[in-house]
Amino acid sequence: MGVGMKRLGFKPLTDWMVMQRLTLGLVVNPFAGVGGPAGLKGSDGAEVVAQALARGVQLRAPERAQRCLTALDAYRSQLTLLTYGGAMGENLAQAIGWSATVVGQVSGGESSASDTQAAVMALQAAGVDLLLFVGGDGTARDVCRTLVTTEHEQQPVLGIPSGVKMHSGVFAISPEAAAQVVIQMLSGSLVELNDREVRDIDEDAFRRGVVKSRHYGDMFVPEDSQFVQQCKEGGVVDEALVLVDIAAELRENLDDDVWYLVGAGTTAQALMDDLGLENSLLGIDLICNEKLIAADLSGPALERRLEHHKGPVVAILSITGGQGSLIGRGNQQLTPTVLRRLGRDNVWVFASKAKITALNGRALLMDSNDTVLDRQWQGYVRVITGYRESILYPLGYALS
């Protein structure tokens, strides 16, 4: 990354404060996040996308892009929208009645990483004030790589989250939050522009239960800590004893004949280790009576199982370090249908005190892709922080 604007003393957003119009560029990766509900740990590659679609998973990125534009609907007179052809933005704009200038078309039948890069180049060349992209860490990498290659590293960008992992710090916490950042810019609020990391992991290693995170660069992001997520933090080795305590508390509270959905992450792995069970570190496992019933379940598979199960079901979930995400980052297998079947009171939340303290008072994040459900679940939840230790902590929703 080159020398940042703030370090040069250049404050481009000051000009935007007095502008009557803001030119937005929109790039949609239509397949972003499709591998999440399918339990595939990512969406990179045509083969993975095909597997996800074969499992009955619906595309979620266009809907999330629509949520952002819908939240901006009252500000259309102040916005000029530029986008790319077909499913990468044009179709969405037409469907919801937005006037948009199309700056290019997809090269083949279905969009790919090269189309994302071409779209970014075209939109940047057209002079957009802010580039919005819909995707996950893989899409962020494509955007970052293109801006660096074309020597336009200072192009302001903001991600609308729709991926599986989203470890990067370039995403708003929800589609509506992305819209709020734009609204702040239009209303004349001081919006900081800062370097934020683009991070991604090796998806093949991820599917083998190995997390290899890599820093791919930085992009300039208009941010507000209320609306833009932090980079995901890795685990802390000296918390090993805390995890043992949490696992002991969880195990002590397991009841007979209850289905438990054990979520992803090293904290959940501590419970499975205590039970002596194999676990899919990055998936959703089903246990009952301290036995593994099914491993690494996809969203559709979970929905089918729960449709025919009449007994109680509990989800055991940790939060994402640094971000505070509880639902919607890395566990999209817990679809809105699954979550409604569970009910809010049947979600056990656990996290070390260090993880909670690191949030600096920010609420836990729920982004289920169902804004009605997100609003219904907001409020204080019990968070297990150790053996016979717990706190009440706020659970937020997607600012809809």
Side-chain angles (χ1 to χ4, degrees), residues 65-344:
Q66 180 176 336
R67 282 169 49 185
C68 180
L69 291 185
T70 299
L72 290 170
D73 198 64
Y75 299 85
R76 282 202 212 185
S77 62
Q78 295 173 259
L79 295 169
T80 298
L81 181 65
L82 279 62
T83 190
Y84 215 60
M88 296 189 70
E90 178 185 17
N91 295 349
L92 167 65
Q94 291 179 349
I96 62 176
W98 274 63
S99 175
T101 300
V102 179
V103 298
Q105 296 291 334
V106 176
S107 58
E110 295 183 344
S111 63
S112 63
S114 61
D115 292 303
T116 297
Q117 294 166 12
V120 170
M121 291 178 65
L123 289 167
Q124 202 286 325
V128 297
D129 297 311
L130 176 65
L131 176 63
L132 294 174
F133 69 92
V134 186
D137 286 331
T139 311
R141 283 176 56 185
D142 292 332
V143 174
C144 184
R145 181 184 300 115
T146 305
L147 293 178
V148 171
T149 301
T150 56
E151 298 183 352
H152 291 291
E153 298 170 276
Q154 296 182 349
Q155 169 69 56
V157 303
L158 182 61
I160 299 173
S162 186
V164 175
K165 309 172 294 295
M166 290 172 290
H167 290 195
S168 303
V170 299
F171 295 100
I173 63 173
S174 71
E176 290 78 13
Q180 287 298 322
V181 172
V182 175
I183 292 169
Q184 283 190 339
M185 292 163 59
L186 289 171
S187 66
S189 299
L190 285 173
V191 180
E192 289 192 6
L193 187 64
N194 290 318
D195 283 342
R196 298 300 296 271
E197 288 188 352
V198 174
R199 304 195 70 87
D200 199 4
I201 61 174
D202 183 329
E203 287 193 1
D204 289 334
F206 195 49
R207 295 182 182 102
R208 298 192 303 271
V210 179
V211 180
K212 294 181 178 179
S213 178
R214 178 180 168 189
H215 176 218
Y216 284 89
D218 300 278
M219 293 195 290
F220 279 110
V221 178
E223 66 173 3
D224 181 308
S225 60
Q226 182 182 358
F227 301 126
V228 179
Q229 74 176 31
Q230 306 300 305
C231 286
K232 182 187 182 299
E233 292 179 351
V236 180
V237 175
D238 60 11
E239 288 199 1
L241 294 179
V242 177
L243 301 187
V244 171
D245 283 348
I246 291 175
E249 173 68 11
L250 291 170
R251 183 172 186 176
E252 192 171 283
N253 284 277
L254 298 180
D255 289 329
D256 293 340
D257 302 322
V258 175
W259 279 16
Y260 293 96
L261 304 177
V262 182
T266 54
T267 318
Q269 184 180 14
L271 170 63
M272 298 296 276
D273 289 344
D274 191 45
L275 293 169
L277 301 177
E278 298 249 348
N279 100 297
S280 10
L281 175 63
L282 308 162
I284 303 292
D285 297 328
L286 170 60
I287 65 174
C288 182
N289 297 326
E290 300 193 358
K291 294 181 179 179
L292 181 64
I293 306 301
D296 206 7
L297 288 163
S298 68
L302 268 173
E303 290 179 2
R304 289 192 295 269
R305 282 180 176 269
L306 295 180
E307 183 180 359
H308 302 291
H309 177 69
K310 304 307 179 185
V313 184
V314 172
I316 302 176
L317 305 177
S318 182
I319 68 171
T320 306
Q323 297 177 355
S325 176
L326 177 64
I327 292 170
R329 302 291 187 269
N331 57 12
Q332 292 97 334
Q333 302 94 317
L334 299 176
T335 66
T337 298
V338 171
L339 293 170
R340 284 195 167 87
R341 169 64 175 83
L342 290 168
R344 186 181 188 274

